[in-house]
Amino acid sequence: MNSDKTNQSVAPAAAPQDERIQKVSFWKKALNRPELGALAGTVLVLAFFITVSSGTGMFTPAGIINFLEVSAQLGIIATAAALLMIGGEFDLSIGSMIGLAGILIAIPAVEYGWPLWAAILLAFACAGLVGVINGNLVNRTGLPSFIVTLGFLFILRGLAIGISRLLTGRTQVGGVEEHIPGDWFAALFSGEVATGLFTWMASQGWIGTNFAGNPSVTGIPVSIVWWLGLTAVATWVLLCTPYGNWIFASGGDANAARNSGVPVRRVKISLFVFTAFSATIFACIQVMDTGSADTIRGLLKELEAIIAVVIGGALLTGGYGSAIGAALGALIFGMVQMGIFYTGVNTDWFQVFLGVMLLVAVLFNNYMRKKAMEAK
């Protein structure tokens, strides 16, 4: 009898204890997530601009598409930069690759009559070659990727200017828009999707229309689709595949990873190729959108990508980070850039905000990492 009563009195106390353990476990997992700081930053930035931009149109359908498009263009290259930084390397040639890829698309199509799909494939082929060279140089020489890709930053920009001046006598090449209609490959990098959905939404009165009765937002720009698609694929690779584990291992401790059988050299080369490809995707979208190429396109984009990745929670030392965090970092970037425009703040102050965000993100990430280590 006594033992039964004892068991009955102890049993109800077990459930609250289990709940406390589950809560502690949940917070430990949350603290270990690299994108936690970026998520908090996104909420704060969103709340700030909702408060100060009332009546400016920033959060109308058109305004949302505007800052999402800015975020998407950065997010495309930030996704690849995130994987490379998790793998323990940097690529400072991304911006120059954007400029060179645009020239490699425009000149063959406009000056020599190539079909646009062939010119785009040429740009991707050259990007792949650049990625392989970068990766091999880093692996074979043992030089920091910062130095190797800094060299290619100047090499690729110089090639873009030199090729353009040699073949056309100028640094801007227009007329690409004439080659876009009917080109099956160019359609992947131009225009909008879900246009029928937005027309229907306008007919239902869910979004506004202009004086001609057309919806104020005609569709989702293809850059946003690329951004979300690349982020989803990169997240799946990092979290659900052996290759994702190899990336983390290569960035965490390359020597230990090699001793465990991880093909570190191949992993890092493939990541450099991916960053070059992402820069070319960015270039394709820009060229199709503007109908022209310019040798100065992509200037400083490599730094913006690194900033977005760091804001997203990645460590500069490698082995830690996420594609979702990079996407949130790009979203913060887009909201701040367009928010300054909508609120009427002098855009000269944008770089100040960018620098402050970077410093705050690094300090916050370090703080959260310490808390995560203490919670273990």
Side-chain angles (χ1 to χ4, degrees), residues 15-362:
Q17 185 176 2
D18 289 342
E19 290 178 5
R20 286 195 295 271
I21 293 172
Q22 288 176 358
K23 287 179 180 179
V24 171
S25 177
F26 170 79
W27 284 112
K28 280 185 177 180
K29 290 180 180 178
L31 285 171
N32 279 316
R33 291 306 306 165
E35 60 271 6
L36 178 63
L39 180 60
T42 302
V43 173
L44 288 174
V45 171
L46 185 63
F48 173 77
F49 281 113
I50 287 176
T51 304
V52 303
S53 66
S54 178
T56 63
M58 180 176 176
F59 291 97
T60 62
I64 292 171
I65 289 293
N66 283 338
F67 72 71
L68 284 180
E69 191 168 13
V70 173
S71 301
Q73 292 188 358
L74 176 60
I76 288 169
I77 55 176
T79 299
L83 266 62
L84 184 62
M85 286 177 63
I86 294 169
E89 307 293 348
F90 292 92
D91 189 349
L92 297 183
S93 66
I94 294 176
S96 297
M97 188 68 240
I98 293 170
L100 178 60
I103 291 298
L104 291 175
I105 294 168
I107 289 179
V110 174
E111 300 293 329
Y112 297 99
W114 284 30
L116 203 50
W117 63 264
I120 293 172
L121 289 179
L122 172 65
F124 275 106
C126 291
L129 179 61
V130 169
V132 169
I133 293 173
N134 273 332
N136 271 302
L137 282 174
V138 170
N139 280 299
R140 292 182 182 277
T141 64
L143 290 172
S145 54
F146 179 90
I147 298 299
V148 172
T149 57
L150 180 62
F152 267 86
L153 179 152
F154 293 106
I155 291 170
L156 298 182
R157 187 69 68 185
L159 282 172
I161 295 171
I163 291 171
S164 184
R165 284 195 180 278
L166 177 66
L167 298 179
T168 69
R170 56 190 187 276
T171 58
Q172 295 178 326
V173 181
V176 179
E177 68 278 357
E178 300 174 4
H179 301 263
I180 297 175
D183 192 289
W184 63 275
F185 204 29
L188 295 175
F189 307 99
S190 62
E192 299 172 327
V193 300
T195 53
L197 173 62
F198 280 84
T199 300
W200 177 79
M201 290 170 67
S203 68
Q204 300 299 310
W206 294 354
I207 59 175
T209 56
N210 57 24
F211 67 93
N214 297 319
S216 57
V217 176
T218 55
I220 300 173
V222 73
S223 59
I224 297 176
V225 179
W226 272 104
W227 175 38
L228 296 177
L230 287 174
T231 300
V233 171
T235 300
W236 173 76
V237 167
L238 285 174
L239 301 181
C240 303
T241 69
Y243 180 73
N245 292 331
W246 292 351
I247 294 173
F248 282 109
S250 299
D253 190 332
N255 289 328
R258 287 190 190 93
N259 294 334
S260 301
V262 174
V264 174
R265 178 175 172 273
R266 280 189 289 141
V267 168
K268 294 198 174 190
I269 290 173
S270 66
L271 292 176
F272 277 109
V273 170
F274 184 38
T275 58
F277 275 1
S278 72
T280 305
I281 293 171
F282 184 107
C284 288
I285 292 171
Q286 273 199 335
V287 169
M288 303 309 147
D289 185 46
T290 62
S292 65
D294 194 321
T295 57
I296 65 168
R297 294 255 174 91
L299 192 64
L300 297 181
K301 283 297 177 183
E302 60 280 341
L303 298 182
E304 292 178 4
I306 291 172
I307 289 172
V309 176
V310 172
I311 290 173
L315 294 180
L316 296 173
T317 51
Y320 187 80
S322 77
I324 293 174
L328 291 172
L331 179 59
I332 291 173
F333 182 97
M335 280 197 292
V336 170
Q337 184 170 355
M338 295 307 297
I340 289 174
F341 170 78
Y342 275 103
T343 54
V345 177
N346 190 331
T347 55
D348 292 341
W349 294 98
F350 173 66
Q351 291 188 357
V352 175
F353 282 99
L354 206 57
V356 170
M357 282 195 300
L358 176 62
L359 292 174
V360 170
V362 172

